Amino acid sequence: AYPLGTNVTLRASATSCRDTSEYSCTEEFRRVDTVTEVRTSLGNVYHHDTTTTGVLTVRVIATPRNFVGRPDWFLPTMDDEGKYGVGYAIPRFERRGIVLPKVNKGPYLDLRADCPESSTNSAYCAGTIPAPTPTDNVDKNICPSGYPHQTAYDKCCSTGTTTTTTSCYYANGATQL
């Protein structure tokens, strides 16, 4: 959280990258009005409550090391091709049908806060952060009807039984059986 009135900007950047007509290297995040919009985004927006709590909400996603868009921003999957069709966009470890993402060193998120510096530590903003209350920024209805169990930040699933398959709903609207 930030002191009230603080303005922030966010930008994702890839390393070893040069903008071309096919690939982009940076993405300026856009501010949205609700936390729900952040949850259902591709990961290039943020919500900042500058009037009551100072809370900043961002959906952190894995991005390729050497580009952030083709040329527009995208939310990569484990199967998306890497730059110019080489390898995968998200580095992976695969063995016997199990696929895991690997550490992707290089891409970074630049968050800048426009605020007066603290007199005791220039890494922080001057001012106080409002004390949170139990209901601040709490969306009690995160999961849509039919998917009552939140199993990840951006994933809700049905209960599933021995006679039915558990289905899941993702923040981008996709479902999986």
Side-chain angles (χ1 to χ4, degrees):
Y2 292 88
L4 297 183
T6 300
N7 290 314
V8 299
T9 57
L10 286 91
R11 180 178 60 220
S13 297
T15 56
S16 305
C17 186
R18 188 177 50 114
D19 285 321
T20 67
S21 61
E22 296 175 79
Y23 296 99
S24 58
C25 303
T26 60
E27 174 80 5
E28 297 291 333
F29 282 31
R30 166 177 69 81
R31 184 176 178 163
V32 294
D33 295 328
T34 67
V35 172
T36 299
E37 288 176 271
V38 174
R39 286 191 185 115
T40 59
S41 75
L42 295 177
N44 60 340
V45 299
Y46 68 95
H47 175 263
H48 186 202
D49 181 343
T50 58
T51 58
T52 53
T53 65
V55 171
L56 175 67
T57 304
V58 179
R59 180 179 181 196
V60 177
I61 66 162
T63 61
R65 179 183 60 81
N66 56 358
F67 67 102
V68 296
R70 302 182 296 199
D72 295 324
W73 177 270
F74 77 112
L75 178 60
T77 69
M78 291 298 293
D79 295 322
D80 284 317
E81 287 185 345
K83 198 170 190 177
Y84 302 114
V86 177
Y88 293 98
I90 303 298
R92 60 201 272 164
F93 170 82
E94 186 172 2
R95 183 176 291 159
R96 295 183 183 171
I98 296 174
V99 179
L100 300 171
K102 289 171 60 175
V103 172
N104 197 6
K105 297 179 182 177
Y108 61 94
L109 185 62
D110 184 30
L111 186 154
R112 297 189 183 249
D114 181 15
C115 60
E117 289 181 5
S118 165
S119 60
T120 56
N121 186 334
S122 63
Y124 295 98
C125 294
T128 58
I129 297 170
T133 64
T135 58
D136 284 344
N137 279 335
V138 174
D139 182 352
K140 293 180 174 47
N141 297 312
I142 292 169
C143 296
S145 178
Y147 303 93
H149 302 284
Q150 184 177 6
T151 58
Y153 179 78
D154 58 356
K155 180 180 175 184
C156 297
C157 295
S158 64
T159 56
T161 66
T162 56
T163 58
T164 63
T165 303
T166 297
S167 61
C168 297
Y169 175 88
Y170 296 83
N172 65 359
T175 58
Q176 172 186 329
L177 293 176

